[in-house]
Amino acid sequence: MNWKKISILIVILLIADQLLKIWVKTNMHLDEAITVFPDWFQLRFVENNGAAFGMQITSGSGFDWGKLLLSLFRVGLVGAMLYYINYLIKQKAPKGVIIGLVLIIAGAIGNILDSAFYGMIFSASTPTTVAEFGGSYAPFMMGRVVDMFYFPLFQWNSCPSWLSFLVDSNNYFFGAIFNLADAYISVAVVYLLIFQYKFFK
């Protein structure tokens, strides 16, 4: 696999991720839900700050240094992974390994784009208003990440407290809301662990 094919794949994945996010951002109110399959799959628009574990490190002016550091770390990680892929290409590594890593890179870049630019090009989303192009709600690297996939499989009212991370505030199992970029990363990690683990030994 060469860099031309890798670049095309990354661009296609990013276009799909960003088109979906922009459609959700400009057509849905914050926390609005559209049922795709009853009792199973919803498009539900939420935003997150993109800071690990909800970390907020702010100065007296309210600037979120934790978010900025995390964004810079992600950019550095993407650079390191691109360097590693270049090494794997020279070593003629299996195509499956490279594709898995490309999915992770595309997912990371997709969420970096939200944080970097959405605050500068969109007005804020609220429960009563839809965002518009040309507004601005945050400076560079301070935008919020758009999430929309919601699969509330079933209610687990007797969930043990030590497994509470598996349910949402309404006790629905698998209550996480995620985006296409997150899906790229999750699928790639599972694929690499199951089908390419021998390579990483």
Side-chain angles (χ1 to χ4, degrees):
M1 196 164 189
N2 57 40
W3 273 112
K4 181 179 179 180
K5 293 179 180 178
I6 289 172
S7 299
I8 291 171
L9 179 57
I10 290 175
V11 169
I12 291 171
L13 293 170
L14 285 176
I15 288 173
D17 173 65
Q18 291 298 307
L19 284 178
L20 179 57
K21 287 175 177 174
I22 290 170
W23 183 87
V24 168
K25 181 84 173 162
T26 57
N27 287 275
M28 297 177 68
H29 298 152
L30 194 63
D31 207 34
E32 180 181 352
I34 298 172
T35 300
V36 181
F37 295 109
D39 302 321
W40 180 58
F41 174 28
Q42 298 176 14
L43 285 180
R44 183 174 178 182
F45 175 29
V46 299
E47 293 181 313
N48 71 74
N49 285 328
F53 311 111
M55 177 179 63
Q56 297 283 340
I57 304 175
T58 57
S59 68
S61 63
F63 189 80
D64 191 346
W65 290 101
K67 181 175 175 60
L68 177 61
L69 291 173
L70 183 63
S71 296
L72 293 175
F73 172 77
R74 285 174 173 159
V75 171
L77 185 62
V78 167
M81 290 187 69
L82 289 170
Y83 179 84
Y84 182 51
I85 284 179
N86 191 56
Y87 169 79
L88 292 178
I89 292 171
K90 292 178 180 178
Q91 298 299 314
K92 301 189 184 303
K95 184 183 293 186
V97 172
I98 294 173
I99 290 175
L101 294 175
V102 166
L103 280 168
I104 293 173
I105 289 171
I109 294 174
N111 286 333
I112 288 169
L113 291 175
D114 294 27
S115 295
F117 301 111
Y118 277 26
M120 300 169 63
I121 63 175
F122 290 113
S123 60
S125 298
T126 75
T128 57
T129 60
V130 174
E132 297 180 352
F133 278 111
S136 176
Y137 69 85
F140 181 62
M141 282 295 186
M142 294 292 118
R144 293 186 287 272
V145 176
V146 174
D147 292 327
M148 76 293 292
F149 292 131
Y150 182 41
F151 296 89
L153 298 179
F154 57 86
Q155 277 193 308
W156 190 7
N157 294 315
S158 58
C159 174
S161 59
W162 59 280
L163 290 176
S164 60
F165 65 93
L166 294 175
V167 299
D168 65 10
S169 58
N170 295 314
N171 292 325
Y172 275 101
F173 177 75
F174 194 59
I177 303 176
F178 58 99
N179 59 42
L180 201 53
D182 298 329
Y184 296 159
I185 295 170
S186 300
V187 168
V189 169
V190 171
Y191 165 75
L192 290 172
L193 289 175
I194 294 176
F195 298 104
Q196 300 294 341
Y197 68 93
K198 290 183 179 179
F199 174 81
F200 290 101
K201 282 185 177 181

